[in-house]
Amino acid sequence: MRISVVRTGGFAGIERRAEVDASGLPDEDEWRALARQALRPAPPGPPADRVRDGFSYRITVDGRTVLCQDPNLTEAQRTLISRVLKEGA
């Protein structure tokens, strides 16, 4: 399973990309569950206003993509983004 994250925006507007291939990793099941949750739409409710100079994200898991932005991230999206940007190349 390939998971990629592209982060854009922020004060400097610098794009950051990272990708993790979780296939065969010891914690592959954890990655898979987290990715499945991150691709789900956010629960209904009033959308928060976009943060000025906030980040926007494109999360792609095996060809399925979700677009999201601060502060409207689910906990799963936040966790997955953090892990991919930290561990990905």
Side-chain angles (χ1 to χ4, degrees):
M1 170 177 37
R2 294 181 97 58
I3 305 167
S4 69
V5 171
V6 178
R7 182 184 76 187
T8 57
F11 180 73
I14 298 172
E15 183 177 285
R16 182 165 176 209
R17 297 173 175 262
E19 185 173 301
V20 169
D21 185 353
S23 302
L25 293 177
D27 56 352
E28 179 180 359
D29 291 338
E30 185 179 325
W31 279 101
R32 188 173 303 280
L34 187 57
R36 223 179 356 256
Q37 291 173 12
L39 289 175
R40 290 183 188 152
D49 290 333
R50 185 157 194 244
V51 175
R52 184 181 181 129
D53 295 326
F55 291 113
S56 295
Y57 302 92
R58 184 174 66 234
I59 302 169
T60 304
V61 180
D62 289 339
R64 287 189 56 208
T65 300
V66 64
L67 303 174
C68 47
Q69 61 189 16
D70 285 330
N72 300 318
L73 301 174
T74 66
E75 191 58 39
Q77 289 168 341
R78 240 179 251 294
T79 302
L80 184 67
I81 288 165
S82 178
R83 283 186 69 182
V84 171
L85 292 178
K86 179 181 175 189
E87 299 178 30

